[in-house]
């Protein structure tokens, strides 16, 4: 796609969204039969699968920790998930994203309940349109809950940024590529605790506050979609 002259025209983004509007979101809990827990998510044109295995015995054994379970995360992009074929296998980007996803999820888990064990989280991006790390976190949180792993809270994530001098939420590829700022945020919504905050570009202090507030409101909406997906499978939440 060539760079358009403007990314926001008459207050509307290229896909017709308002600046504060999320892309359509769809979540299915338990999308895979063989995993202990799983979820499929679509956030706009992103399509991502998360699979959870464990808690199970750690291999290699010497990586086991005597007092808590190790959370292991692997984020990968399918070769066909992006416009230019992605070379299979880990690269700097996927290693970094796997690390920040682990750090975003870890505070929600009671890892001390499972000494010597490992919990494996696999995130596979099938189709990418910017915001795959946040979509991956949203799917992984549902997959962890689907695996029956006790959690303090879910983790919900979305990116915010600045495009044509406007603060926007849930950037698509064109906005990620040609916008000036991209800030992925993850939080535990009930605890209002931020577990991931990265920034590519610049915000003034005032813009940062507005963007973070917008991200937190977006996470609340995503949290509701995550809960709905789990309810559809388990009817959690009693008569709510
Ligand atoms: N992307 C791509 N090829 C790559 C890596 C990324 O086309 O090898 C695209 C993909 O659409 C991705 C977007 O660039 O979602 C933004 O990537 P970024 O590293 O900002 O991470 P994300 O926003 O997906 O978390």
């Amino acid at each position: 796609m060539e760079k358009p002259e403007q990314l926001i025209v008459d207050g509307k983004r290229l896909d017709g969204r308002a600046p504060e509007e999320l892309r359509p979101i769809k979540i299915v809990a338990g999308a895979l039969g063989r995993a202990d827990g799983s979820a499929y998510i679509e956030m706009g044109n992103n399509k991502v699968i998360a699979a959870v295995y464990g808690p199970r015995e750690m291999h290699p054994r010497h990586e086991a920790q005597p007092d808590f379970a190790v959370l292991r995360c692997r984020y990968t992009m399918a070769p066909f998930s992006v416009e230019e074929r992605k070379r299979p296998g880990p690269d700097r980007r996927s290693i970094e994203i796997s690390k920040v996803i682990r750090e975003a999820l870890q505070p929600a888990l009671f890892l001390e309940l499972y000494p010597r064990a490992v919990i494996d989280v696999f995130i596979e991006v099938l189709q990418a349109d910017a915001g795959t790390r946040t979509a991956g976190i949203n799917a992984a949180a549902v997959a962890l809950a689907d695996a029956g792993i006790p959690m303090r809270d879910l983790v919900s994530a979305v990116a915010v940024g600045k495009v044509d001098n406007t603060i926007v939420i849930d950037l698509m590829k064109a906005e990620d590529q040609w916008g000036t700022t991209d800030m992925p945020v993850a939080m535990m919504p009930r605890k209002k605790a931020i577990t991931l905050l990265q920034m590519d570009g610049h915000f003034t202090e005032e813009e940062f506050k507005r963007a973070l507030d917008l991200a937190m409101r977006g996470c609340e909406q995503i949290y509701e979609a995550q809960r709905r997906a789990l309810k559809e499978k388990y009817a959690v939440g009693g008569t709510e």
Side-chain angles (χ1 to χ4, degrees):
M1 180 175 166
E2 269 183 41
K3 183 177 189 310
E5 230 160 80
Q6 284 174 278
L7 291 160
I8 300 187
V9 181
D10 296 334
K12 294 268 185 212
R13 296 154 73 180
L14 295 180
D15 59 2
R17 274 185 295 156
E20 310 207 338
E21 193 178 337
L22 293 172
R23 289 178 281 191
I25 182 165
K26 174 182 155 184
I27 309 177
V28 178
L32 302 173
R34 202 167 301 139
D36 294 318
S38 60
Y40 169 71
I41 190 167
E42 290 179 7
M43 286 178 80
N45 291 321
N46 290 304
K47 298 184 184 210
V48 180
I49 283 267
V52 169
Y53 291 82
R56 61 183 177 182
E57 198 178 331
M58 168 64 106
H59 289 287
R61 293 285 272 277
H62 69 265
E63 284 183 14
Q65 297 297 318
D67 301 324
F68 54 89
V70 172
L71 179 64
R72 235 173 5 195
C73 291
R74 197 193 71 170
Y75 160 104
T76 42
M77 276 184 140
F80 52 81
S81 65
V82 288
E83 223 165 298
E84 263 186 49
R85 179 179 180 277
K86 157 84 180 64
R87 239 180 106 207
D91 53 20
R92 279 177 65 99
R93 176 178 172 276
S94 70
I95 292 167
E96 179 214 315
I97 293 181
S98 299
K99 174 181 182 283
V100 299
I101 289 178
R102 174 171 53 76
E103 290 169 350
L105 295 170
Q106 196 155 286
L109 298 172
F110 297 95
L111 294 176
E112 61 282 6
L113 293 178
Y114 307 103
R116 306 201 61 77
V118 61
I119 297 171
D120 277 306
V121 176
F122 298 96
I123 293 169
E124 284 285 337
V125 178
L126 306 177
Q127 186 170 288
D129 190 26
T132 59
R133 79 193 61 200
T134 48
I137 290 168
N138 294 328
V142 173
L144 286 162
D146 181 47
I149 296 172
M151 296 170 79
R152 290 186 175 84
D153 198 354
L154 287 175
V155 182
S156 311
V158 71
V160 284
K162 191 162 75 169
V163 165
D164 286 3
N165 229 8
T166 305
I167 304 288
V168 298
I169 193 165
D170 197 10
L171 287 75
M172 62 187 146
K173 181 73 170 63
E175 294 172 331
D176 180 291
Q177 194 171 350
W178 293 304
T180 43
T181 310
D182 177 30
M183 182 171 90
V185 176
M187 68 186 260
M188 292 193 278
R190 274 184 310 182
K191 297 190 168 293
K192 301 224 178 304
I194 307 284
T195 62
L196 165 87
L197 199 152
Q198 296 183 283
M199 180 144 56
D200 187 5
H202 299 280
F203 277 139
T204 63
E205 196 178 330
E206 171 60 27
E207 286 168 344
F208 173 77
K209 283 187 187 147
R210 276 176 42 217
L212 184 60
D213 180 62
L214 181 59
M216 289 174 82
R217 281 186 281 134
C219 285
E220 297 282 349
Q221 285 174 262
I222 292 164
Y223 177 61
E224 290 309 320
Q226 290 171 301
R227 275 170 48 96
R228 268 198 307 277
L230 287 163
K231 266 191 201 175
E232 275 165 24
K233 190 169 172 204
Y234 293 105
V236 291
T239 54
E240 270 180 80

